[in-house]
Amino acid sequence: MNTFKKKALFAALTGLGVMGMVGSAQAVNLNPDGLGQALIYPYYTVRDGGDQANAFNSLISIVNSTSLGKAVKVRVLEGKASMEVLDFNLYLSPFDVWTASFVPMGDGGGLITTDNSCTSPAIPAGGVAFRNYAYTGTNQDLADQTLNRTKEGYVELIEMADIPLLDKNGQSNATLANITHVNGVPKDCSKIIDNGTRPAWVDNDLDTGTGGLFGGMTLINPTEAQGVAFEAVALDGFFSAPPLAATFSQQAKIWDVGGSVLPNLADVTPKISTVVDGTYAYISQWDASSEADAVSAVLMNLTAYNEFVLDATTASKTDWVITFPTKRHYYEQPDAATHIRALKNAGSDRQLFQRTFIATGACDDVGISMHDREEATVAQVGDFSPTPPQGAGTALCWEANVVSFGSSAAKAASLFHAENRVAVGTNNYENGWASFTFAPNLASTYHYLVASGDTDVISFVAGAPVVRSGVAGVQYDGLPMVGFAVQQFNNGTLSNNGLNVWATYDGRIAHRFSKSIN
């Protein structure tokens, strides 16, 4: 089967007009070029190795590549159950960049910034601490209730609206003027503070979002000489105005007040996904009750592949990050009496994830295959440590997971000092590669989604499109995941012209994925 760049395939689809076959010119998709309407940053950490002076900081950037202003929801989620620990609205002027640092703060994490871009609420000079309200009190689950839980997780960002040059009356846009920098400072950020209510300027000055956002994050620990950077995963076509919606109508944007839990990854409009796999494109419709299924389909992978390095000479370490950014949308709120988070749609083809969320997480079984560099191989090596609960074998139990490799599980140390982690042995392979597979078990109905509406399947053979429209029962196998691997090499203390240098080097390698669509 011929393969070619996904970008070329999308261009071909657009040229043929087949993107409109399911009733919409837009569908949420994974943009291979990194620009989008929604961004997912797979991991942040402010953890340390037992001394807060040696803690990681996570440095985030958000870039507006367009000549339009942007209203953006920024949401920081802890890594156990993806509970919100900080949420605010960010307003980017044309070509603006916003930066901030996640740092240890009190007993948990927090955010500080010296950036002047407007936010609502405003971020004080001393920063703002992450909060545990979403998983304590009436929201209590069985996992850790303390602020320590806020020290690692991930970030989602959703564009709520564009802020164009002219407002709905064709006049100069006052909101755009207020957020635009003059000599490095916005004209008047106080005008965009919403105080929990919908101001009139939202319907007068904001229009449908058009994307063009990108960003990255750097995890840095200066005292341990560690630093690694990665780019945000970009979803495009996340939101488009309904076909009959008037410009600037309330229906043409998904704006909500600062500090609101909305919008989130379930707010795809229309609920249509486009997934490219080799020379095939699958355009699936999802019903109104499907919540995050469209985004899950876009991020769905059966297997993740990457390398590990444990070279004794350089005291190497390897951590993999595997994050399930839509997992929280498949769980109920904690039960008031038991505090257990039950699965939604349990026992149906909408279940996707495998187990309820208890004190040790919600575990999903994973099959592991391990290879060294000389072709030796072993399948389903050993077990993770600690042993997962709920009768699981090898499993990932959190929503933002760190997997630490070692010659044996007992020797696997996390270079991130992660607590939301499992350790896996490598059958004494010093270096090599591994695959993690989340295969569906049809008897138990997990690790797959079936499109609730029909799917158009477009295949390209010798450049000619072959279209099968209205295909029912298309099944996406695996789990929706993002992440990367980090390898560390430590040469200890080296001498350079009489000066001692601590020689530690980190490198990030993107995961490779394979899909299974039936």
Side-chain angles (χ1 to χ4, degrees):
M1 184 178 291
N2 295 326
T3 59
F4 48 93
K5 293 179 68 176
K6 293 179 182 178
K7 182 178 178 182
L9 178 56
F10 277 109
L13 290 173
T14 303
L16 290 166
V18 296
M19 293 293 281
M21 293 177 57
V22 288
S24 175
Q26 265 195 310
V28 64
N29 63 86
L30 183 64
N31 189 331
D33 297 320
L35 296 172
Q37 289 180 299
L39 303 178
I40 300 168
Y41 299 73
Y43 188 64
Y44 79 82
T45 179
V46 298
R47 293 211 179 276
D48 58 75
D51 178 358
Q52 197 172 59
N54 294 324
F56 275 89
N57 289 183
S58 296
L59 316 180
I60 188 171
S61 67
I62 301 168
V63 182
N64 176 13
S65 71
T66 77
S67 59
L68 301 167
K70 299 287 182 179
V72 176
K73 177 71 68 176
V74 180
R75 178 170 294 116
V76 184
L77 300 147
E78 55 81 30
K80 291 189 182 297
S82 295
M83 293 296 100
E84 186 179 73
V85 298
L86 195 69
D87 180 298
F88 57 93
N89 290 351
L90 169 67
Y91 294 88
L92 298 170
S93 56
F95 310 114
D96 193 12
V97 180
W98 182 80
T99 60
S101 299
F102 299 174
V103 300
M105 192 174 290
D107 294 328
L111 179 150
I112 59 174
T113 182
T114 58
D115 196 290
N116 292 319
S117 297
C118 298
T119 65
S120 179
I123 298 172
V128 57
F130 295 157
R131 304 173 175 191
N132 60 353
Y133 306 145
Y135 57 87
T136 58
T138 57
N139 298 315
Q140 178 181 347
D141 58 29
L142 293 175
D144 177 18
Q145 305 296 300
T146 72
L147 288 167
N148 178 66
R149 184 164 159 180
T150 71
K151 288 186 175 181
E152 60 185 315
Y154 66 101
V155 180
E156 68 180 26
L157 179 151
I158 298 172
E159 179 187 42
M160 299 185 292
D162 278 350
I163 310 173
L165 182 64
L166 302 178
D167 65 16
K168 72 175 184 180
N169 299 313
Q171 305 298 313
S172 294
N173 193 320
T175 298
L176 183 65
N178 286 326
I179 68 169
T180 298
H181 294 67
V182 178
N183 296 322
V185 180
K187 178 182 176 181
D188 191 352
C189 285
S190 68
K191 295 291 177 55
I192 58 88
I193 303 296
D194 56 63
N195 293 316
T197 60
R198 188 185 187 92
W201 53 259
V202 171
D203 295 315
N204 189 72
D205 297 352
L206 305 189
D207 200 359
T208 308
T210 54
L213 299 172
F214 71 94
M217 183 172 279
T218 299
L219 312 179
I220 189 166
N221 189 329
T223 57
E224 294 185 356
Q226 292 194 62
V228 63
F230 57 88
E231 65 278 1
V233 175
L235 301 176
D236 215 0
F238 183 85
F239 182 89
S240 61
L244 300 179
T247 302
F248 293 105
S249 70
Q250 184 170 345
Q251 291 74 33
K253 61 186 76 70
I254 47 175
W255 184 94
D256 211 324
V257 298
S260 168
V261 296
L262 300 173
N264 56 48
L265 293 180
D267 289 315
V268 169
T269 302
K271 289 189 180 296
I272 302 173
S273 62
T274 297
V275 178
V276 177
D277 185 23
T279 56
Y280 289 82
Y282 301 83
I283 305 175
S284 294
Q285 299 186 63
W286 304 87
D287 63 39
S289 65
S290 63
E291 296 197 27
D293 284 356
V295 172
S296 293
V298 167
L299 299 176
M300 189 78 84
N301 294 293
L302 182 68
T303 304
Y305 307 86
N306 218 316
E307 299 177 66
F308 60 86
V309 177
L310 304 171
D311 188 85
T313 303
T314 56
S316 301
K317 298 178 183 177
T318 299
D319 274 2
W320 286 17
V321 171
I322 297 179
T323 295
F324 305 123
T326 61
K327 186 172 182 177
R328 67 189 177 109
H329 296 284
Y330 295 88
Y331 285 81
E332 305 285 359
Q333 282 294 101
D335 179 80
T338 65
H339 307 302
I340 291 174
R341 294 183 187 274
L343 282 159
K344 296 179 180 178
N345 305 307
S348 75
D349 58 16
R350 298 280 290 281
Q351 178 178 321
L352 184 57
F353 291 92
Q354 190 173 347
R355 295 183 173 92
T356 56
F357 186 97
I358 59 174
T360 45
C363 296
D364 287 276
D365 296 343
V366 54
I368 304 174
S369 181
M370 199 80 63
H371 307 258
D372 71 6
R373 291 176 177 173
E374 283 73 42
E375 302 177 25
T377 183
V378 61
Q380 200 70 30
V381 296
D383 194 5
F384 286 129
S385 173
T387 302
Q390 305 166 313
T394 51
L396 296 183
C397 298
W398 305 116
E399 307 209 4
N401 302 274
V402 173
V403 180
S404 301
F405 288 80
S407 57
S408 66
K411 295 180 180 179
S414 171
L415 62 91
F416 289 136
H417 310 304
E419 292 187 11
N420 297 345
R421 67 182 286 263
V422 291
V424 62
T426 62
N427 198 44
N428 293 317
Y429 297 161
E430 188 174 49
N431 306 300
W433 66 278
S435 62
F436 282 24
T437 298
F438 299 87
N441 181 328
L442 300 182
S444 300
T445 59
Y446 59 80
H447 295 180
Y448 72 88
L449 279 177
V450 176
S452 51
D454 288 341
T455 298
D456 288 349
V457 182
I458 302 101
S459 62
F460 282 74
V461 179
V466 177
V467 180
R468 294 177 60 201
S469 60
V471 179
V474 172
Q475 178 174 308
Y476 296 83
D477 294 341
L479 286 177
M481 66 186 79
V482 295
F484 53 87
V486 176
Q487 300 172 356
Q488 181 188 86
F489 303 88
N490 188 348
N491 286 313
T493 303
L494 301 179
S495 179
N496 181 21
N497 295 324
L499 298 176
N500 291 330
V501 178
W502 184 249
T504 298
Y505 318 97
D506 290 350
R508 192 269 301 179
I509 302 175
H511 291 324
R512 283 72 165 181
F513 298 109
S514 63
K515 299 182 181 298
S516 174
I517 304 174
N518 301 307

